[in-house]
Amino acid sequence: MAIIDLWGGVECSCNRVGEQFFDQLSRNGHWERISDLDLFASLGIKKLRYPVLWEHVAPQSLDTPDWSWSDERLQRLQQLQIDPIVGLVHHGSGPVYTDLSNDNFAPLLAQYARMVAERYPWVTYYTPVNEPLTTARFSCLYGFWYPHQTSDKAFVRALLNQVKGTKLAMQAIREINPAAKLVQTEDLGQTHSTKLLAYQAAFENERRWLSFDLLCGKVTPKHKLWNYLIQNGVEPTELLEFVESPLPPDIFGINHYITSERYLDEHLSIFPLHTHGSNAHHKYADVEAVRVKGVERTGIKNLLQETWQRYQGEIAITEAHLCCTREEQMRWFMEVWGAATELKQAGVNIRAVTAWALLGSYDWNSLLTRNNSHYENGVFDLRMGNKPWSTALVKMLKSLSKTGKYQHDVLQHKGWWDREERYAYWHRDVYISKPTHKPILDKKQRPLLITGATGTLGQAFGRICQDRGLHYHLLTRAEMDIANPESVAAAVARYNPWAIINTAGYVRVDEAEKEPGKCYRENTKGPIVLAEICKAANIQLLTFSSDLVFDGKKATPYVEEDQPNPQNVYGNSKFLAEKEVLRILPEALVIRTSAFFGIGDRDNFVYFALQSFLQGNPFEAVNDIKITATYIPDLIQNSLDLLIDQANGIWHLANSGTFTWAGLAQSIADIALLKDVQIISQPVSSFRLSAYRPHNSVLGSTKSYLMPSVESALQRCIPVIMQTIARERTALEQNLFPAEEKLSG
Ligand SMILES: NC(=O)C1=CN([C@@H]2O[C@H](COP(=O)(O)OP(=O)(O)OC[C@H]3O[C@@H](n4cnc5c(N)ncnc54)[C@H](OP(=O)(O)O)[C@@H]3O)[C@@H](O)[C@H]2O)C=CC1
Ligand SMILES: Cc1cn([C@H]2C[C@H](O)[C@@H](COP(=O)(O)OP(=O)(O)O[C@H]3O[C@@H](C)C(=O)[C@@H](O)[C@H]3O)O2)c(=O)[nH]c1=O
């Protein structure tokens, strides 16, 4: 039985930048999709942080409210027996007739809150204003959001208006529902620093409590920030009003992210420009403490302990979310859940942990100031077809809400925030120079078995599993011949894997026409043997197929449901494997992909083209075949997430964008900024290839749009490939022309 509750929450920020409102509910489609509530209910959540935003209900005036959306949603929540924690403002500055610096903000918010309570008198839990301190910082100290001010005076005024608004709102609500409870949320971190900036860190470590301290009436003339507030335009009466009639939160809502802990350092030279800032006295860099070697992070457990010691009030983690790969998201949530459970067992009044951003969020990487569709998935992933995809976190949360416990092999390993490779900086007072590190993989975890140790995809899988802290064994043919059942059974018995990733195969498409036996052994018999043994051993299987299963007669991109009709031996060997593997093991994941390119692999079209261009040689490319190309790291990152999500069946994963090979060559030249390249564009027939190539093998998908565009992948890899080619050329020249001759050259 779980001793703490699982709550959920929808990322519903509605922040204003200039005259534009950035609205997560329209970005994530939840505004239109009431069925999401059923998905949320299936997680076993007891409460849901849910928006009835002022900017949505009364955007033009409090006299013309539109309750249609919130009526329907709150009614559905009642039917689903989910208790809403209603949020009225979420990183917003209110509708256009007010803003954070306007003294009408608090009274108007209270008026709106009364209207909400009158409309939904049964609602008990409220968060009138989410994270007043964060919003005041982003809007009035850093100027990112409306009203875009950048002074302590404006920051303090914005904070006070929000906290006053919260108090007045709760008082108005309690006139309707005296039992109403305030769940006051705030981002909680810790600021660390060099000795020189310890005063700034101390200030920020006091400031972080201000929302709670004000509501609890703790900001008296003895409070460390009393003078700071007074010097920045607050009247003593405004503060004493809270002291005389405090309105402490019924639940202290802690929002904690891996980036909540900061590190301040005046040695600007070792920090990227975008981290530079200043106060009235010093210029300094402000970075995530987790990236700094020599900084001991306080961590969520100690921060919760501090909150308990400071307020002795009921606490809930109201936002637990990590933007990262699947296993890291699971590790982060389990770390927060574990900390809360241990503290609860130790007598701390912890009520719940909230799985935040259930549907993910958009553009937080630009602090909600740009619409770039930078999406980070949540418990559900919105990049899969027309309904939210249940990631591996769904199974985890269902188990936690029931039993408070959950096991998965990927959880055996530390999260990146506890692994050596996290460091990007070092604490100047602790280290003179950049310390080195070696990633260590913990062998306790049941491994992934990856075939194809000498292959392009296999080796890349090894590198990325290392980075993701996924324990793996990369096996050569000698260690496990996939077409030999004894060899596979022996390897499975020896390593006891939780999944097999089959990157092995026969990929020489033209030669396959001459030696079909070999091709069918590696590409068809091999995967079948793996499927049979995985079935028997109840372990997951991921295997790869190809766009060459199609005949190319379709005019538009091929999707998963399209009927394959391979036109060459290779294509046929992959198609037969797909059919047999899914007949034997329907749970298997079969990923069709195409035309690999990547860093560190010289046997690919991108490398060939760049090499020719840089050598000034003409490059022949086919102009009557349409394909999609696949950047290997993007393929692997998403394949691993799907495997951990236990996705099954056929999935198409290729970077988005349709090209002829000649067109792709031109894009490569454009992105490499190479002007005078010679691309000889000609039909495939001129290449006299022994295996037929379909004229269209573009991979589309009805299941997902996980993969970035080919352009974005080329932009990420071409600079590195060009450096590799340049280095190789220099090495070649040095071998060909030893130094003295070059000088005489
Ligand atoms: N390259 C591409 O553009 C595309 C590839 N694919 C698919 O992706 C997968 C990986 O391709 P890629 O990395 O390019 O291939 P590579 O040719 O680079 O690697 C193939 C690997 O498979 C190993 N192998 C072959 N047969 C066996 C066997 N019986 N037992 C164990 N290992 C074996 C090879 O080992 P050894 O060195 O001993 O021969 C080699 O390590 C293949 O399934 C391929 O069909 C799909 C679409 C596009
Ligand atoms: C090397 C090269 C290829 N091409 C074009 C011609 C031809 O259609 C195509 C053939 O190149 P390749 O032999 O590299 O690729 P091909 O064998 O067609 O590629 C396939 O590999 C297998 C393993 C797959 O599964 C497929 O997805 C696909 O990537 O590329 C050029 O136009 N210019 C060139 O210089």
Side-chain angles (χ1 to χ4, degrees), residues 451-458 475-478 480-483 502-508 521-523 526 543-547 570 574 593-597 603:
T451 65
T454 57
T456 304
L457 189 58
L475 302 181
T476 62
R477 181 195 292 264
M480 184 172 83
D481 175 350
I482 63 169
N502 178 36
T503 79
Y506 181 107
V507 298
R508 301 180 298 286
R521 180 182 188 281
E522 322 302 12
N523 287 354
T543 190
F544 289 89
S545 186
S546 163
D547 58 328
Y570 169 81
K574 301 301 278 186
T593 183
S594 65
F596 289 169
F597 67 96
D603 179 19

Coordinates of all heavy atoms in Angstrom, one line a residue, residues 451-458 475-478 480-483 502-508 521-523 526 543-547 570 574 593-597 603, ligand 1:
T451 N 23.4 -6.9 -30.7 CA 24.2 -7.7 -31.8 C 24.8 -6.7 -32.7 O 24.4 -5.5 -32.7 CB 23.2 -8.6 -32.6 OG1 22.3 -7.7 -33.3 CG2 22.4 -9.5 -31.6
G452 N 25.8 -7.2 -33.5 CA 26.4 -6.3 -34.6 C 27.5 -5.5 -34.0 O 27.6 -4.3 -34.3
A453 N 28.4 -6.1 -33.2 CA 29.5 -5.3 -32.6 C 30.4 -4.7 -33.6 O 31.0 -3.6 -33.3 CB 30.3 -6.2 -31.6
T454 N 30.5 -5.2 -34.8 CA 31.4 -4.6 -35.7 C 30.7 -3.7 -36.7 O 31.2 -3.2 -37.7 CB 32.1 -5.7 -36.6 OG1 31.1 -6.5 -37.2 CG2 33.0 -6.6 -35.7
G455 N 29.4 -3.6 -36.5 CA 28.5 -2.9 -37.5 C 28.3 -1.4 -37.1 O 28.5 -1.0 -36.0
T456 N 27.8 -0.7 -38.1 CA 27.6 0.8 -37.9 C 26.6 1.0 -36.8 O 26.8 1.8 -35.9 CB 27.0 1.3 -39.3 OG1 28.0 1.0 -40.3 CG2 26.8 2.8 -39.2
L457 N 25.4 0.4 -37.0 CA 24.3 0.7 -36.0 C 24.7 0.1 -34.6 O 24.5 0.7 -33.6 CB 23.0 0.1 -36.5 CG 21.7 0.4 -35.7 CD1 21.5 1.9 -35.7 CD2 20.5 -0.3 -36.3
G458 N 25.3 -1.1 -34.6 CA 25.6 -1.8 -33.3 C 26.6 -0.9 -32.5 O 26.3 -0.6 -31.3
L475 N 27.7 -7.6 -28.8 CA 28.2 -8.9 -29.1 C 28.6 -9.1 -30.6 O 27.9 -8.6 -31.5 CB 27.2 -10.0 -28.8 CG 26.7 -10.1 -27.3 CD1 25.7 -11.2 -27.1 CD2 27.9 -10.2 -26.3
T476 N 29.8 -9.7 -30.8 CA 30.2 -10.0 -32.1 C 29.5 -11.3 -32.6 O 28.9 -12.0 -31.8 CB 31.7 -10.3 -32.2 OG1 31.9 -11.4 -31.3 CG2 32.5 -9.1 -31.6
R477 N 29.7 -11.6 -33.9 CA 29.1 -12.8 -34.4 C 29.6 -14.0 -33.7 O 28.9 -15.0 -33.4 CB 29.5 -12.8 -35.9 CG 28.9 -14.0 -36.7 CD 29.7 -14.1 -38.0 NE 29.4 -13.0 -38.9 CZ 28.5 -13.0 -39.9 NH1 27.8 -14.1 -40.1 NH2 28.4 -12.0 -40.7
A478 N 30.9 -14.0 -33.4 CA 31.6 -15.1 -32.7 C 30.9 -15.3 -31.3 O 30.7 -16.4 -30.8 CB 33.0 -14.8 -32.5
M480 N 27.8 -14.3 -30.4 CA 26.4 -14.8 -30.6 C 26.1 -14.7 -32.1 O 25.9 -13.6 -32.6 CB 25.4 -14.0 -29.8 CG 24.0 -14.5 -29.9 SD 22.9 -13.6 -28.8 CE 22.4 -12.2 -29.7
D481 N 26.0 -15.9 -32.7 CA 25.6 -15.9 -34.1 C 24.1 -16.0 -34.1 O 23.5 -17.0 -33.7 CB 26.2 -17.2 -34.8 CG 25.7 -17.3 -36.2 OD1 24.8 -16.6 -36.6 OD2 26.3 -18.2 -36.9
I482 N 23.5 -14.9 -34.6 CA 22.0 -14.8 -34.4 C 21.2 -15.9 -35.1 O 20.1 -16.2 -34.8 CB 21.5 -13.4 -34.8 CG1 21.7 -13.2 -36.3 CG2 22.0 -12.3 -34.0 CD1 21.0 -12.0 -36.9
A483 N 21.9 -16.5 -36.1 CA 21.2 -17.6 -36.9 C 21.4 -19.0 -36.4 O 20.9 -20.0 -36.9 CB 21.6 -17.5 -38.4
N502 N 18.6 -6.2 -32.0 CA 19.3 -6.9 -33.1 C 19.6 -5.9 -34.2 O 18.8 -5.5 -35.0 CB 18.4 -8.0 -33.7 CG 19.1 -8.6 -34.9 OD1 20.3 -8.8 -34.9 ND2 18.3 -8.9 -35.9
T503 N 20.9 -5.5 -34.3 CA 21.3 -4.6 -35.3 C 22.1 -5.4 -36.3 O 22.7 -4.8 -37.3 CB 22.3 -3.5 -34.8 OG1 23.6 -4.0 -34.6 CG2 21.7 -2.9 -33.5
A504 N 22.2 -6.7 -36.1 CA 23.0 -7.6 -37.1 C 22.2 -7.7 -38.4 O 21.0 -7.6 -38.4 CB 23.2 -8.9 -36.4
G505 N 23.0 -8.0 -39.4 CA 22.3 -8.2 -40.7 C 23.3 -8.2 -41.9 O 24.5 -7.9 -41.7
Y506 N 22.7 -8.5 -43.0 CA 23.4 -8.5 -44.3 C 22.9 -7.3 -45.1 O 21.8 -7.2 -45.4 CB 23.1 -9.8 -45.0 CG 23.8 -10.0 -46.4 CD1 24.9 -10.8 -46.5 CD2 23.5 -9.2 -47.5 CE1 25.6 -11.0 -47.7 CE2 24.1 -9.4 -48.7 CZ 25.2 -10.2 -48.8 OH 25.8 -10.4 -50.0
V507 N 23.8 -6.3 -45.3 CA 23.3 -5.1 -45.9 C 23.8 -4.7 -47.2 O 23.6 -3.7 -47.8 CB 23.6 -3.9 -44.9 CG1 22.9 -4.0 -43.6 CG2 25.1 -3.7 -44.8
R508 N 24.6 -5.7 -47.8 CA 25.1 -5.4 -49.2 C 24.1 -5.7 -50.2 O 24.0 -6.9 -50.7 CB 26.4 -6.2 -49.4 CG 27.5 -5.8 -48.3 CD 28.8 -6.6 -48.5 NE 28.7 -8.0 -48.4 CZ 28.5 -8.6 -47.2 NH1 28.4 -7.9 -46.1 NH2 28.4 -10.0 -47.1
R521 N 20.1 -16.0 -44.4 CA 20.5 -16.5 -43.1 C 20.6 -15.4 -42.1 O 20.0 -15.5 -41.0 CB 21.9 -17.2 -43.3 CG 22.4 -17.8 -42.0 CD 23.8 -18.4 -42.2 NE 24.2 -19.2 -40.9 CZ 24.6 -18.5 -39.8 NH1 24.8 -17.2 -39.8 NH2 25.0 -19.2 -38.8
E522 N 21.3 -14.3 -42.5 CA 21.5 -13.2 -41.5 C 20.2 -12.4 -41.3 O 19.9 -12.0 -40.2 CB 22.6 -12.3 -41.9 CG 23.8 -12.9 -42.6 CD 24.5 -14.0 -41.8 OE1 24.0 -14.5 -40.8 OE2 25.6 -14.4 -42.3
N523 N 19.5 -12.1 -42.4 CA 18.4 -11.2 -42.3 C 17.0 -11.8 -42.0 O 16.1 -11.1 -41.5 CB 18.2 -10.4 -43.6 CG 19.3 -9.4 -43.8 OD1 20.1 -9.2 -42.9 ND2 19.4 -8.8 -44.9
G526 N 18.1 -15.4 -38.8 CA 18.7 -14.8 -37.6 C 17.5 -14.2 -36.7 O 17.4 -14.6 -35.6
T543 N 14.2 -5.3 -33.4 CA 15.0 -5.7 -34.6 C 14.7 -4.7 -35.7 O 13.7 -4.0 -35.7 CB 14.7 -7.1 -35.1 OG1 15.7 -7.5 -36.1 CG2 13.3 -7.3 -35.6
F544 N 15.6 -4.5 -36.7 CA 15.5 -3.5 -37.6 C 15.2 -4.0 -39.0 O 15.7 -5.0 -39.5 CB 16.8 -2.6 -37.7 CG 16.9 -1.8 -36.4 CD1 17.5 -2.3 -35.3 CD2 16.3 -0.5 -36.4 CE1 17.6 -1.5 -34.2 CE2 16.4 0.3 -35.2 CZ 17.0 -0.3 -34.1
S545 N 14.3 -3.3 -39.7 CA 14.0 -3.6 -41.1 C 14.3 -2.4 -42.0 O 14.9 -1.5 -41.5 CB 12.6 -4.1 -41.2 OG 12.3 -4.6 -42.6
S546 N 13.8 -2.5 -43.2 CA 14.2 -1.5 -44.2 C 13.1 -1.0 -45.1 O 12.1 -1.7 -45.3 CB 15.3 -2.1 -45.1 OG 15.5 -1.4 -46.2
D547 N 13.3 0.2 -45.6 CA 12.4 0.8 -46.6 C 12.4 0.0 -47.9 O 11.4 0.1 -48.7 CB 12.8 2.3 -46.9 CG 14.3 2.3 -47.4 OD1 15.1 1.4 -47.0 OD2 14.6 3.2 -48.2
Y570 N 17.4 -8.6 -50.8 CA 17.6 -7.9 -49.5 C 16.2 -7.5 -48.9 O 15.9 -7.8 -47.8 CB 18.5 -6.7 -49.6 CG 18.5 -5.8 -48.4 CD1 19.3 -6.1 -47.3 CD2 17.8 -4.7 -48.3 CE1 19.3 -5.4 -46.1 CE2 17.8 -3.9 -47.2 CZ 18.6 -4.2 -46.1 OH 18.6 -3.4 -45.0
K574 N 14.2 -9.0 -45.5 CA 13.8 -8.2 -44.4 C 12.3 -8.3 -44.2 O 11.8 -8.4 -43.1 CB 14.1 -6.7 -44.6 CG 15.6 -6.4 -44.8 CD 16.5 -6.8 -43.6 CE 16.5 -5.8 -42.5 NZ 17.5 -6.2 -41.4
T593 N 13.6 1.4 -41.1 CA 14.4 2.7 -41.3 C 15.1 2.7 -42.6 O 14.8 1.8 -43.5 CB 15.4 2.8 -40.1 OG1 16.0 4.0 -40.2 CG2 16.4 1.7 -40.1
S594 N 15.9 3.7 -42.9 CA 16.5 3.8 -44.2 C 17.7 4.7 -44.3 O 17.8 5.6 -43.5 CB 15.4 4.4 -45.2 OG 15.2 5.7 -44.7
A595 N 18.6 4.3 -45.2 CA 19.7 5.2 -45.6 C 20.4 5.9 -44.4 O 20.2 7.1 -44.2 CB 19.2 6.3 -46.6
F596 N 21.2 5.2 -43.7 CA 21.9 5.7 -42.6 C 22.9 6.7 -42.9 O 23.5 6.7 -43.9 CB 22.6 4.6 -41.8 CG 21.7 3.5 -41.1 CD1 22.3 2.4 -40.6 CD2 20.4 3.7 -40.9 CE1 21.5 1.4 -40.0 CE2 19.6 2.8 -40.3 CZ 20.2 1.6 -39.8
F597 N 23.0 7.7 -42.0 CA 24.2 8.5 -42.0 C 24.5 8.9 -40.6 O 23.6 8.9 -39.7 CB 24.1 9.8 -42.9 CG 23.0 10.8 -42.4 CD1 23.4 11.9 -41.7 CD2 21.7 10.6 -42.7 CE1 22.5 12.8 -41.3 CE2 20.7 11.5 -42.3 CZ 21.1 12.6 -41.6
D603 N 30.9 4.7 -44.2 CA 30.3 4.0 -45.3 C 28.9 4.5 -45.5 O 27.9 3.8 -45.3 CB 30.2 2.5 -44.9 CG 29.5 1.7 -46.0 OD1 29.4 2.2 -47.1 OD2 29.0 0.6 -45.7
Ligands
LIG1 N1 22.7 0.8 -43.5 C1 21.5 1.3 -43.8 O1 21.4 2.3 -44.4 C2 20.3 0.6 -43.3 C3 20.4 -0.5 -42.5 N2 19.2 -1.1 -42.0 C4 19.3 -2.3 -41.2 O2 20.0 -1.9 -40.0 C5 20.8 -3.0 -39.5 C6 22.2 -2.6 -39.2 O3 22.7 -2.1 -40.4 P1 24.3 -1.6 -40.5 O4 24.7 -1.2 -39.1 O5 24.4 -0.7 -41.6 O6 25.0 -3.0 -40.9 P2 26.5 -3.3 -40.8 O7 26.9 -4.1 -42.1 O8 27.3 -2.2 -40.6 O9 26.6 -4.3 -39.6 C7 26.0 -5.6 -39.6 C8 26.5 -6.3 -38.4 O10 25.8 -7.6 -38.4 C9 26.7 -8.6 -38.0 N3 26.2 -9.8 -38.4 C10 25.8 -10.2 -39.6 N4 25.3 -11.5 -39.5 C11 25.4 -11.9 -38.2 C12 25.1 -13.1 -37.5 N5 24.6 -14.1 -38.1 N6 25.3 -13.1 -36.2 C13 25.8 -12.0 -35.6 N7 26.2 -10.9 -36.1 C14 26.0 -10.9 -37.5 C15 28.0 -8.2 -38.7 O11 29.1 -8.9 -38.2 P3 30.3 -9.3 -39.1 O12 31.2 -8.1 -39.1 O13 30.9 -10.5 -38.3 O14 29.8 -9.6 -40.5 C16 28.0 -6.7 -38.5 O15 28.5 -6.4 -37.2 C17 20.6 -4.1 -40.5 O16 19.5 -5.0 -40.0 C18 20.1 -3.4 -41.7 O17 19.3 -4.3 -42.5 C19 18.0 -0.6 -42.4 C20 17.9 0.5 -43.1 C21 19.0 1.2 -43.6

